[in-house]
Amino acid sequence: MFFTKFRTITKFYNGEIAFEGASKVLFDMRKAGRLAAGYLLENNFRKLVFLTQEPAKEAIRRKHGISSKLFDMDILDGIEDACREYGADFYNSGRIIARNIPYHEHENEVKNEINAALDAGCNGFVCMNDIRALSVYQAVAERGLIINKDVSIVSHFNTSLCESLTPKLTSVDMNIPTLIEGVAAAVNSASAPGTIYVEPKLIKRK
């Protein structure tokens, strides 16, 4: 999304399109991923799965060292950071599960991959957003497993869905009010453009 005022462009997504003279107000998605994975690892859920929304080919490219600036891949940066900090081997013990487009054609595939991950002993799920966590809840319930005991799940964006699930869903709040304040300040600023990172926070629920 872009906000314009004269020659100033303020954006909250760090995409690859360059805008000369643009200020940036960005979610710190890397820190969000680090918070989510760190929470799982510090609670001894060490075999992690990342449920992304990007096509599988992007996840595969990333695994082999090709970078991308999309939200999901920034979160993956943070997961990798946390795994290094806690001495966890993400790529040998964990997995990346992608949800391709169109979504409805891939739901069975995603469900099968979640079950395969559970079969392999994966027990910590980082979901790109709260809706992505629903597939994990369903798979865990069908197996008779207990969330926060056998399996733990952390998502992103902290929507109202988190409070409606049983058990409630731990999620990373992206701090949207602060982002809006930053956008407004950047649009109205006469100073040179810069980059503002909005700090996420982990909302723990049991």
Side-chain angles (χ1 to χ4, degrees), residues 52-62 70 72-73 96-101 103:
T52 172
Q53 294 183 154
E54 296 305 322
K57 64 180 181 180
E58 292 295 334
I60 293 169
R61 288 177 63 226
R62 183 50 183 270
L70 299 175
D72 298 50
M73 299 301 107
I96 299 171
I97 298 176
R99 185 181 191 182
N100 293 319
I101 297 173
Y103 292 158

Side-chain angles (χ1 to χ4, degrees), residues 60-75:
I60 293 169
R61 288 177 63 226
R62 183 50 183 270
K63 181 177 179 179
H64 292 281
I66 300 173
S67 65
S68 174
K69 295 182 179 179
L70 299 175
F71 274 8
D72 298 50
M73 299 301 107
D74 284 340
I75 287 179

Side-chain angles (χ1 to χ4, degrees), residues 49-52 56 95-100 106-120 122 125 132 135-136 139 143:
V49 177
F50 177 38
L51 271 74
T52 172
R95 302 185 178 204
I96 299 171
I97 298 176
R99 185 181 191 182
N100 293 319
H106 296 272
E107 283 308 304
N108 286 335
E109 178 184 343
V110 169
K111 182 178 180 179
N112 290 340
E113 291 196 40
I114 291 171
N115 279 312
L118 291 168
D119 287 339
C122 294
F125 287 79
R132 298 292 284 123
S135 298
V136 186
R143 286 170 169 258

